[in-house]
Amino acid sequence: MKKPFLLLFLLLLFLSGFTLLKNTQKEERFVTYRVNPNKEEVIFYWKNEDNLNFGSINNLKKWLFTKNKELIFATNGGMYTKDFSPLGLFVENSKIKKPLDTTSGKGNFYLKPNGVFYLTKQNKAYIHTTESFNYSENIKYATQSGPMLVVNNQIHKAFNKESKNLNIRNGVGVLENGEIVFAMSKKEINFYDFASYFKQLGCKNALYLDGFVSRTYLPDKDWTQTDGNFGVIIAVSKNK
């Protein structure tokens, strides 16, 4: 093998190894699930037909089993009040169950801009800031949370790269191809680094869902948390 070709081969080998290392490091830091909402049904859950909160991923999994469905993915889908009702807007099957919250207050939810993650009846996913969000009867599911992690391809201005505010965190982003990305940190992380992850994935807009209470069920990646007690749960299932 001639020297120039050998050098090129070694360079390509190095670059492929470096890419693999970076992807492995991401896998070690985050549980990540990408879904095409046109191919898989993404549903937002809060209460069952008896008006009882699902509360935990385990309860939802058992309920889906009675409907001959197998849970593929689930994660907590936004912040909630003391009675485990959604904090801010919640739309289910095109019905507003909780109104949009445009007030100010303390806590992560009110770190403006906060935002809304929603799906239309055509299975198109969007994330808008609360200020720019316009309700439409075409919206099938929606959950409000905060703060925004990435806004128009920019990391939230309030985030500090050196912040010591560390927590388990989960969030959601939308890719340019329309796919939805759900991610949860496996270890404690600050807001800046968490937002950076969504930006690196290619999400121009991403929304924080919650913190230390976060749970994710994704058996395909050997991650099966089913405990906790939540308001909204976002899930994907399939027929058994």
Side-chain angles (χ1 to χ4, degrees):
M1 185 181 290
K2 294 182 179 180
K3 190 172 182 180
F5 291 103
L6 177 62
L7 290 174
L8 178 61
F9 174 75
L10 291 174
L11 177 62
L12 291 173
L13 188 65
F14 170 78
L15 291 174
S16 62
F18 180 70
T19 300
L20 179 62
L21 176 61
K22 285 182 69 178
N23 290 335
T24 301
Q25 289 174 337
K26 287 179 181 179
E27 287 294 322
E28 290 175 352
R29 296 183 69 195
F30 302 98
V31 184
T32 307
Y33 179 67
R34 295 189 185 198
V35 57
N36 182 337
N38 287 310
K39 294 182 178 179
E40 297 180 273
E41 190 175 23
V42 180
I43 297 179
F44 296 18
Y45 296 92
W46 177 25
K47 294 184 177 183
N48 63 20
E49 59 268 35
D50 297 319
N51 204 38
L52 298 174
N53 285 30
F54 284 104
S56 71
I57 294 174
N58 191 46
N59 288 340
L60 176 62
K61 183 182 178 184
K62 290 179 178 178
W63 181 83
L64 287 169
F65 185 82
T66 68
K67 308 296 182 184
N68 293 313
K69 289 184 177 291
E70 178 186 352
L71 186 62
I72 302 300
F73 163 80
T75 193
N76 50 295
M79 299 178 190
Y80 48 86
T81 63
K82 290 181 180 180
D83 66 354
F84 298 101
S85 61
L87 177 58
L89 178 71
F90 179 62
V91 176
E92 183 182 25
N93 292 319
S94 301
K95 295 180 180 179
I96 299 177
K97 299 297 182 76
K98 289 292 294 289
L100 189 72
D101 187 338
T102 58
T103 64
S104 297
K106 296 180 179 180
N108 291 328
F109 181 92
Y110 295 105
L111 181 55
K112 304 294 180 66
N114 52 14
V116 177
F117 166 52
Y118 66 94
L119 288 168
T120 68
K121 293 177 181 178
Q122 293 76 36
N123 298 316
K124 302 296 183 184
Y126 298 93
I127 295 174
H128 285 170
T129 65
T130 297
E131 275 189 350
S132 64
F133 173 76
N134 291 308
Y135 175 73
S136 163
E137 292 183 355
N138 192 43
I139 293 174
K140 188 175 182 180
Y141 294 105
T143 184
Q144 184 181 9
S145 193
M148 291 284 289
L149 296 170
V150 183
V151 186
N152 297 325
N153 209 33
Q154 298 297 317
I155 292 174
H156 195 298
K157 292 180 180 179
F159 298 166
N160 182 353
K161 186 183 292 189
E162 307 301 326
S163 173
K164 302 300 181 184
N165 177 16
L166 306 179
N167 233 324
I168 298 295
R169 306 185 189 278
N170 77 308
V172 59
V174 177
L175 298 170
E176 287 193 82
N177 64 2
E179 288 185 346
I180 305 167
V181 178
F182 296 96
M184 188 186 81
S185 63
K186 294 181 179 180
K187 297 181 180 180
E188 295 179 337
I189 192 172
N190 66 28
F191 270 123
Y192 187 92
D193 288 343
F194 192 45
S196 295
Y197 179 60
F198 280 98
K199 193 171 185 295
Q200 289 165 12
L201 290 176
C203 299
K204 290 190 175 181
N205 291 284
L207 180 66
Y208 180 61
L209 292 174
D210 216 332
F212 69 94
V213 301
S214 299
R215 298 289 188 274
T216 293
Y217 178 84
L218 188 55
D220 277 358
K221 293 191 177 180
D222 297 319
W223 198 268
T224 55
Q225 294 175 320
T226 58
D227 62 328
N229 200 358
F230 314 114
V232 178
I233 298 173
I234 302 173
V236 175
S237 63
K238 67 178 181 180
N239 293 327
K240 291 170 60 178

